Amino acid sequence: MRQGVRLGLDPGDARIGVARSDPSGLLATPVETVKRGRGDLARIAELVAEEQDGDPERVLEVVVGLPRSLSGGEGPAAAKVREWAGRLARVIAPVPVRLADERLTTVSAEAMLRDRGRLGAKRRAVVDQAAAVVILQHALDTERASGTAPGEIIEEST
């Protein structure tokens, strides 16, 4: 298992859920929800810098959830995420950005929050963060089981 903090992102049309891992890559925890739109890439870059805490090697990568259909195909939502992730990669370089399959993560996050008694507006306020936790935890567990980095690396777009 590679050592280093990872950030996990669940980009939606209105909000971006953010999660982080511990430096050993064992556990993902929620961080915040970033409003999507003007300034979102800058805020994510700030969060990366905060996690680096003066050490550019501390943040290993940012894992972005890629919305695929149940059959594994990619539609317009996946294309938008790929384009956004490319811009993010340029902003936070040299920190790598990876895309990881996020099928059913929001559904899983909503069910988990509902089971814990979070209802209505309280659940909506944190579901994006919970989805980011699910995406990142899955990536961590996959790497631990396989020994290889999760998802696919994104090249910086211009």
Side-chain angles (χ1 to χ4, degrees), residues 1 6-12 15-21 25-30 61-68 81 84 97-110 112 127-144 149-152:
M1 188 77 179
R6 291 115 166 128
L7 291 180
L9 305 178
D10 177 37
R15 295 171 303 278
I16 303 162
V18 182
R20 72 176 295 277
S21 76
L26 203 60
L27 186 64
T29 56
E61 62 200 4
V62 173
V63 178
V64 177
L66 179 66
R68 294 182 183 264
V81 168
W84 183 84
V97 173
R98 294 184 168 278
L99 290 175
D101 190 341
E102 71 153 31
R103 277 179 275 189
L104 300 178
T105 55
T106 301
V107 173
S108 298
E110 291 230 8
M112 177 181 66
V127 72
D128 300 297
Q129 291 176 42
V133 167
V134 172
I135 290 164
L136 183 55
Q137 190 64 55
H138 183 325
L140 296 171
D141 295 345
T142 298
E143 180 174 342
R144 194 175 302 92
E152 66 180 272

Side-chain angles (χ1 to χ4, degrees), residues 51-67:
E51 287 297 335
Q52 286 174 324
D53 195 28
D55 178 4
E57 307 277 316
R58 182 172 155 81
V59 176
L60 188 62
E61 62 200 4
V62 173
V63 178
V64 177
L66 179 66

Side-chain angles (χ1 to χ4, degrees), residues 10-125:
D10 177 37
D13 288 331
R15 295 171 303 278
I16 303 162
V18 182
R20 72 176 295 277
S21 76
D22 62 292
S24 66
L26 203 60
L27 186 64
T29 56
V31 174
E32 73 176 69
T33 301
V34 175
K35 185 176 185 205
R36 183 74 185 259
R38 186 179 186 140
D40 59 355
L41 295 175
R43 179 61 188 143
I44 302 295
E46 287 174 7
L47 291 169
V48 169
E50 288 171 15
E51 287 297 335
Q52 286 174 324
D53 195 28
D55 178 4
E57 307 277 316
R58 182 172 155 81
V59 176
L60 188 62
E61 62 200 4
V62 173
V63 178
V64 177
L66 179 66
R68 294 182 183 264
S69 67
L70 289 179
S71 66
E74 293 186 18
K80 285 195 316 192
V81 168
R82 282 185 177 279
E83 188 272 330
W84 183 84
R87 288 187 288 128
L88 175 65
R90 188 177 72 237
V91 170
I92 66 169
V95 175
V97 173
R98 294 184 168 278
L99 290 175
D101 190 341
E102 71 153 31
R103 277 179 275 189
L104 300 178
T105 55
T106 301
V107 173
S108 298
E110 291 230 8
M112 177 181 66
L113 292 170
R114 192 172 39 253
D115 290 347
R116 293 184 180 170
R118 296 240 184 178
L119 302 173
K122 287 182 181 178
R123 186 171 74 230
R124 282 191 298 277

